[in-house]
Amino acid sequence: MSISAPRKTGGEEAPTRFVEMIFPEQANHYGTLFGGHVLSLMGKAAFVAATRRARCAVVMATSEKVEFHEPVRVGELVELSAEVTRVGRSSMTVTIEVIAEALISGERRLAVRGAFEMVAVAANGRPIRIPVSSTSTPPQEVLS
């Protein structure tokens, strides 16, 4: 799997991008990408995007409305684009799009889209406040 580092554009972070080739061991009995595997890839992308934003430990709280639009065949490439679309006090929403690409023709299509809620946590597992920006002071524990 290849990961590209986001570049900041106008004060906002660019999406985190992952690229992976789909091989037979990642497929189901139909010869298409197994749903559980794509969910794992999306979870990793959400984790990286959220950690880059919060610059502290994060955990997944929920996955929301994952939509499977098109099957991804063995031999195709998938590009995952993960973007933090909401930042709250201790949680963030990361939206992920999975684009399938046929390498020979170059045809690209939206295969899967979903959102994950990620929570910033301290070493003891308790939620902590997410800094306003990744360059601000270290996170502080959120009291509930």
Side-chain angles (χ1 to χ4, degrees):
M1 178 181 302
S2 167
I3 306 170
S4 66
R7 289 181 223 140
K8 293 189 178 188
T9 56
E12 295 180 15
E13 290 197 24
T16 295
R17 297 189 186 281
F18 285 57
V19 177
E20 182 155 316
M21 183 76 188
I22 304 307
F23 291 103
E25 63 271 11
Q26 298 161 311
N28 57 28
H29 59 289
Y30 297 114
T32 58
L33 180 60
F34 176 61
H37 189 75
V38 76
L39 289 172
S40 175
L41 292 173
M42 292 171 79
K44 288 176 187 178
F47 170 80
V48 171
T51 302
R52 282 179 165 165
R53 170 55 184 84
R55 293 296 176 194
C56 64
V58 298
V59 295
M60 185 184 302
T62 64
S63 59
E64 299 179 6
K65 196 175 181 183
V66 176
E67 303 166 339
F68 293 84
H69 296 278
E70 296 281 335
V72 179
R73 292 178 267 307
V74 168
E76 291 187 317
L77 191 72
V78 290
E79 180 179 333
L80 292 90
S81 177
E83 185 172 6
V84 176
T85 54
R86 182 199 62 82
V87 178
R89 188 171 168 179
S90 63
S91 67
M92 354 173 201
T93 304
V94 181
T95 303
I96 299 110
E97 287 190 343
V98 180
I99 304 296
E101 179 179 332
L103 285 175
I104 303 300
S105 69
E107 173 202 357
R108 292 171 55 90
R109 63 198 185 282
L110 176 65
V112 185
R113 177 183 286 140
F116 293 78
E117 287 296 313
M118 307 299 285
V119 177
V121 293
N124 64 2
R126 301 281 301 157
I128 55 176
R129 185 178 302 276
I130 298 169
V132 174
S133 73
S134 58
T135 58
S136 55
T137 59
Q140 299 173 347
E141 188 165 345
V142 174
L143 302 174
S144 42

